[in-house]
Amino acid sequence: FDELSDEQAGIARVKVTSARKLSRTVHATLLEALGAKELAMHECEDPEVIGGIKVEIADLIIDGTIKTQLTKLKYVLNQ
């Protein structure tokens, strides 16, 4: 029910994982990119991601972390 009312109000529920706390600029960019009036954001700091961010919205995951890019590169090089 909360998700439906948030959607009606233009609030996007988002989980963001990054190596360090996000700046206001990144927060504003996410808000604009998602086309939401407001973000209900749960921020997770994980130094293991090295850099970049991973954004989770409902069942959609956008992973732009350096850790994932390095894992993909390692897989390709081992082929």
Side-chain angles (χ1 to χ4, degrees):
F1 178 76
D2 287 338
E3 291 174 14
L4 184 59
S5 64
D6 285 348
E7 187 177 322
Q8 293 286 331
I11 301 171
R13 290 179 172 264
V14 179
K15 178 181 176 186
V16 178
T17 305
S18 61
R20 58 189 167 146
K21 186 169 173 56
L22 298 178
S23 68
R24 290 183 184 180
T25 304
V26 173
H27 190 278
T29 302
L30 280 173
L31 186 65
E32 183 179 334
L34 295 172
K37 294 178 186 173
E38 186 178 331
L39 289 178
M41 184 166 30
H42 175 72
E43 281 188 59
C44 298
E45 290 183 48
D46 181 1
E48 289 188 15
V49 302
I50 305 169
I53 62 173
K54 179 168 99 174
V55 179
E56 299 175 56
I57 308 164
D59 58 350
L60 173 67
I61 299 173
I62 303 167
D63 192 337
T65 62
I66 292 175
K67 179 182 179 180
T68 298
Q69 298 301 319
L70 289 173
T71 301
K72 288 178 182 178
L73 180 61
K74 180 180 176 183
Y75 175 79
V76 169
L77 292 174
N78 287 327
Q79 290 294 315

